Amino acid sequence: MFKKLLSSIGVGAATVDTRLADSHCEPGGTLEGVVHVKGGNVEQSVDRIYIFFNTLYKHEVNDKATYSTFTIEKISLNEAPFLIGPDEVKEIPFTIDVPFNTPLSVSQSKSWIETGLDIAQAVDPKDEDAIVVKPNTTQQVVLDALDAIGFRLKKADTEMLPARHRSGRLPIAQELEYSPNGTRFDRKLDEIEVVLLQDESSLDLLIQVDKSVHNLGSLFADLSGTDESTHRLSYGNDELTIDHVRRDVESLIERSI
């Protein structure tokens, strides 16, 4: 009885540990791993094993910027409760699809896997594992084109995407802010802000060209209106080359300054 009491408050209770096959993933790819559940000092009933694929997003609370958790994907690994005996080990493999437009792990952007057990009348054990979201092949073409122009990434934030730009996509998107220092646009603009919106067959590149440091604003705010400094470049996957994107971006900036 005393062991059961202790397990109900987490002492000597079942534990959970997620082991990823690879902590690196990319939008449009998959993330694989195995959840290890080890029994504690007494037999316990596990109602549910769940996995959250989480990231941070920026929003305002009482007119102040704050960061909160956004769950990109949630999966349940069991359909019915099961018993885990003392020191018993169960292994449950899983595969998570990584949605397009999942924020890349650049600047302060962070993503992680949270695994947990729902155990009746007990403290639910949890485990968190950081992951690294790398650009997929299509995204890398765009990033290489911006790099070829000479732009350098200043920071990245993830925010809620205005509803009219979602179209079945994630409701969040990552905004990449680039400095023009060292480019031929150095003295003509302060920064550009870029959002990549991708699906299986195409990619839209949203770009805001900021000419005055006194007029900087979030691209997400401008997307809600009709700001003329915000532009869209659309590509099919077979159209994307570094030179193509570079020429289009340079031409767009030249028309805007």
Side-chain angles (χ1 to χ4, degrees):
M1 177 64 72
F2 185 62
K3 287 184 177 181
K4 289 184 177 180
L5 176 62
L6 289 177
S7 66
S8 70
I9 59 174
V11 179
T15 58
V16 60
D17 178 31
T18 295
R19 301 173 190 177
L20 299 172
D22 188 344
S23 61
H24 293 72
C25 63
E26 63 182 44
T30 58
L31 190 66
E32 299 179 352
V34 177
V35 174
H36 292 249
V37 182
K38 183 177 181 180
N41 294 333
V42 298
E43 183 179 75
Q44 290 181 289
S45 176
V46 178
D47 293 334
R48 190 72 62 189
I49 304 175
Y50 61 84
I51 292 180
F52 290 154
F53 183 178
N54 294 329
T55 194
L56 288 179
Y57 78 100
K58 181 181 176 181
H59 61 113
E60 287 192 0
V61 176
N62 298 323
D63 296 324
K64 293 184 178 180
T66 188
Y67 291 86
S68 298
T69 299
F70 179 86
T71 298
I72 296 172
E73 188 72 41
K74 177 184 178 181
I75 61 174
S76 176
L77 298 185
N78 61 307
E79 297 181 354
F82 64 91
L83 294 175
I84 184 81
D87 296 321
E88 181 183 2
V89 175
K90 292 184 180 292
E91 297 183 348
I92 303 96
F94 67 88
T95 299
I96 296 177
D97 291 326
V98 182
F100 288 105
N101 307 314
T102 295
L104 304 178
S105 298
V106 294
S107 187
Q108 297 181 341
S109 298
K110 297 179 181 178
S111 297
W112 68 98
I113 294 295
E114 178 186 336
T115 312
L117 307 180
D118 283 341
I119 299 178
Q121 299 178 337
V123 175
D124 295 338
K126 294 182 179 180
D127 178 46
E128 292 187 355
D129 298 270
I131 59 174
V132 178
V133 184
K134 303 176 69 175
N136 58 34
T137 302
T138 303
Q139 293 171 321
Q140 191 63 55
V141 170
V142 175
L143 300 181
D144 287 346
L146 294 171
D147 184 67
I149 297 171
F151 288 113
R152 295 294 176 262
L153 183 67
K154 292 168 55 179
K155 70 171 186 174
D157 274 322
T158 299
E159 300 183 29
M160 298 303 294
L161 188 65
R164 68 190 182 93
H165 290 278
R166 294 178 187 175
S167 301
R169 301 183 175 101
L170 286 178
I172 58 170
Q174 186 177 49
E175 179 182 270
L176 307 172
E177 295 186 12
Y178 283 89
S179 166
N181 292 344
T183 73
R184 61 190 179 93
F185 305 111
D186 194 345
R187 298 179 181 276
K188 299 179 180 180
L189 55 87
D190 291 295
E191 69 177 22
I192 64 170
E193 299 168 355
V194 178
V195 172
L196 285 70
L197 299 179
Q198 186 183 15
D199 59 28
E200 292 84 354
S201 60
S202 63
L203 181 143
D204 284 354
L205 188 59
L206 306 181
I207 300 178
Q208 176 176 289
V209 180
D210 288 321
K211 292 178 287 187
S212 171
V213 73
H214 301 294
N215 293 321
L216 295 183
S218 170
L219 174 54
F220 290 95
D222 289 330
L223 287 175
S224 300
T226 57
D227 191 290
E228 294 182 356
S229 67
T230 299
H231 310 271
R232 180 188 294 263
L233 298 172
S234 298
Y235 303 93
N237 288 346
D238 56 351
E239 300 174 299
L240 275 167
T241 67
I242 294 175
D243 286 342
H244 188 180
V245 175
R246 176 178 179 172
R247 288 194 302 268
D248 286 350
V249 172
E250 287 180 324
S251 177
L252 182 155
I253 293 174
E254 288 168 352
R255 295 194 306 270
S256 303
I257 56 180

